[in-house]
Amino acid sequence: MVILLLLGTAAALGGWWLGSGRWAYMPRTVGLQQVAAESVVRGAGLVPDVHTAFDDDVPAGSVARADPAAGTRALRGTQVDLVVSTGRPRVPAVRAGSSVAQAEAALARATLRARFDPAADRYDDRVPAGAVLGTDPVAGTAVPVSAAVTVVRSLGPAPVPVPAVAGKSPEDARNALLAAGFLVGATVPTFDPSVPDGAVVGSRPAAGVPTPRGTTVSLLTGHSLLVPPTQGRSVADATARLTAAGFTVSFGDRVFDPDAEGGSVSGTVPTAGSRVDPADPRVVLHLSSAVTVPPLVGRSVQEAEDALRTAGLAPVVVAMVGSGSSRVVDQSPEPGVRVAPGSSVGMSAFP
């Protein structure tokens, strides 16, 4: 009896194993809530393996996809995949100041794509240029899977006009730039013939140019060589003074100057008091060609004529009574007057 019972049991089990008893059929789960879907899968003799994924159409918490499909035959105890919808993805929060790479990674994790639009970028006083300000749509907004989200980048501080500093003292100019939100850089020596050394000529960037706050602005200050007075000085003295002031000296034509003795310095080009660019410190020195009229009264006409010709002047006898040995009694111009070379000097003689 025992043997017959065992044989009967084995036959029944074998029939179940070879027949439909070892198989299960995948139930319909798409659209069911997660708990209900897991329950029907287990009731069918299968093991649910739950995953989550964003889905544009299936409500959050419901099964969006199942593998294998409903009605598929599988061995009992087989693990089946249930993909539960988490609804549409939401734009993640990207902290202001994050890098573009960090924003792209956060969007990718939410199955979203980053896009960039220069027109959407904005100025910001706190977030450095190039860093992320936020997103459009804003964080928390539900969007379709793989939707493009604009990453809004900072352009840095908004530009403001550089204040006018020309004519101010260096200290006042620095204070004006600092008050406008700029940093003050090194002073740049700049030639301006109308500005004394050290005075503020302007700035770089120039006044009025829109420039982001925090930019370093350089002050331009006057830098020039001042031509010293040399009129009436000897050539050696004038040359020494000009060389000591930083100039390169050359000589030009002689010029008539009634205020400078012949052979002394008449003046310079550029003139005394002019400001010259240190990058081109050339000065031309001109000597006076003036001739000083010698004294003639008391000399004989012949001696007077010889003296005038020796000095490079032209003698003119205005009135004479007697001969070449007559004495000069008057002359014009008077002795000591400076005249141009070749000028005529008149004289009267008697007897």
Side-chain angles (χ1 to χ4, degrees):
M1 291 295 293
V2 172
I3 293 172
L4 290 175
L5 182 60
L6 291 173
L7 289 174
T9 302
L13 290 173
W16 177 84
W17 177 255
L18 295 174
S20 61
R22 63 183 291 209
W23 297 99
Y25 289 88
M26 180 67 180
R28 186 185 67 81
T29 56
V30 173
L32 297 179
Q33 288 289 305
Q34 178 181 343
V35 174
E38 290 185 66
S39 177
V40 297
V41 167
R42 289 192 180 95
L46 301 174
V47 178
D49 184 18
V50 178
H51 309 279
T52 59
F54 295 112
D55 193 282
D56 291 341
D57 303 314
V58 178
S62 297
V63 175
R65 297 183 297 281
D67 186 23
T72 302
R73 191 174 74 163
L75 290 173
R76 291 182 180 274
T78 297
Q79 183 173 284
V80 296
D81 293 329
L82 297 179
V83 179
V84 176
S85 170
T86 55
R88 289 193 169 195
R90 294 183 179 274
V91 177
V94 180
R95 182 178 58 83
S98 301
S99 68
V100 168
Q102 290 172 323
E104 290 178 311
L107 290 170
R109 288 192 293 271
T111 70
L112 302 175
R113 295 180 294 110
R115 67 182 292 269
F116 302 94
D117 180 6
D121 298 337
R122 303 194 306 269
Y123 292 108
D124 191 275
D125 290 340
R126 292 175 302 228
V127 177
V132 175
L133 281 177
T135 57
D136 184 18
V138 297
T141 303
V143 293
V145 174
S146 298
V149 175
T150 299
V151 176
V152 181
R153 295 163 296 188
S154 171
L155 296 174
V160 295
V162 174
V165 294
K168 296 181 180 291
S169 68
E171 183 179 0
D172 288 345
R174 287 177 179 273
N175 290 338
L177 291 173
L178 292 172
F182 297 106
L183 301 177
V184 181
T187 297
V188 180
T190 305
F191 173 66
D192 187 319
S194 63
V195 176
D197 274 12
V200 177
V201 176
S203 61
R204 186 180 298 159
V209 175
T211 305
R213 286 189 292 270
T215 298
T216 297
V217 177
S218 298
L219 283 177
L220 308 182
T221 56
H223 180 50
S224 60
L225 300 178
L226 189 65
V227 179
T230 55
Q231 186 184 42
R233 294 182 179 274
S234 68
V235 173
D237 185 18
T239 301
R241 287 171 62 86
L242 289 168
T243 302
F247 294 99
T248 301
V249 180
S250 61
F251 292 87
D253 297 333
R254 287 180 175 252
V255 295
F256 170 61
D257 185 351
D259 297 321
E261 184 180 352
S264 67
V265 175
S266 170
T268 55
V269 176
T271 58
S274 299
R275 296 190 178 277
V276 176
D277 189 349
D280 185 19
R282 292 177 295 179
V283 171
V284 178
L285 202 61
H286 292 277
L287 304 184
S288 173
S289 63
V291 178
T292 301
V293 177
L296 303 177
V297 175
R299 295 186 179 188
S300 68
V301 172
Q302 186 62 51
E303 290 174 338
E305 288 179 338
D306 291 342
L308 290 173
R309 290 190 179 98
T310 299
L313 301 175
V316 177
V317 179
V318 178
M320 182 176 72
V321 178
S323 63
S325 60
S326 299
R327 297 294 169 179
V328 176
V329 295
D330 192 19
Q331 71 176 83
S332 179
E334 297 180 355
V337 174
R338 297 188 182 102
V339 296
S343 296
S344 298
V345 177
M347 55 186 169
S348 302
F350 185 84

